Amino acid sequence: MGDDMGLEVIAAVVTGGLAVGQAVAGMSAAQKQAKATAAEGTLVAKNKALEVQRKAAAAQSSFLTSGLTLEGTPELSINSIFKTGIEDIGAIKTNYDAKAKSIITNARTKALTDLGMTAATMYAGGGFGSSGAPTINSVSVPSPQTFGP
């Protein structure tokens, strides 16, 4: 009977260790994915900035070749291109930051859920008595909370 208890404890420790290892691996992978997502967002934002610069330069060139000065409506038009571009770049950064944070949050939630499920399974199925206290040879070992003045 004592050998069975030793095996239960070993199985519980191994199961708990595997669950922790999986949670750590999942968080590590999520951090790498979030970092890659943030880097992608930076690249997309830089590309958008270049696109806006090209579009404004093309508009400026078009106005000048048409014989217009860059004052008044042409200036407003170019400023509008930059304003819209800045708003677009801000939206790109916000969206990619939200994606990166979501990746981390989802991984954290999964890790905690998996660890909770492992603990619940261990509690319900082995290595623990009906009170949730560890057992030795089918005798529950009281938890420290049961001792008091």
Side-chain angles (χ1 to χ4, degrees):
M1 193 179 233
D3 289 337
D4 289 343
M5 183 56 197
L7 293 176
E8 287 178 10
V9 170
I10 290 169
V13 169
V14 168
T15 301
L18 289 173
V20 169
Q22 288 175 339
V24 169
M27 284 300 299
S28 178
Q31 288 171 339
K32 288 177 184 175
Q33 184 181 1
K35 189 174 181 178
T37 299
E40 179 184 356
T42 299
L43 181 61
V44 170
K46 285 181 180 179
N47 288 339
K48 183 64 175 180
L50 291 173
E51 176 188 323
V52 169
Q53 288 174 341
R54 282 188 220 110
K55 188 174 181 180
Q60 180 180 2
S61 177
S62 176
F63 290 131
L64 291 174
T65 57
S66 297
L68 298 173
T69 63
L70 296 179
E71 297 172 1
T73 303
E75 181 181 28
L76 292 174
S77 179
I78 292 170
N79 286 342
S80 177
I81 291 169
F82 280 117
K83 182 179 181 226
T84 302
I86 290 169
E87 290 169 356
D88 290 347
I89 291 166
I92 289 167
K93 288 181 178 180
T94 299
N95 290 338
Y96 276 90
D97 285 348
K99 285 180 187 179
K101 287 177 184 175
S102 177
I103 290 167
I104 295 294
T105 299
N106 290 340
R108 185 179 298 124
T109 300
K110 181 177 179 353
L112 292 174
T113 300
D114 290 350
L115 288 172
M117 293 297 289
T118 299
T121 301
M122 289 170 60
Y123 175 81
F128 295 98
S130 62
S131 67
T135 58
I136 298 176
N137 294 335
S138 301
V139 175
S140 290
V141 177
S143 67
Q145 295 90 356
T146 60
F147 296 107

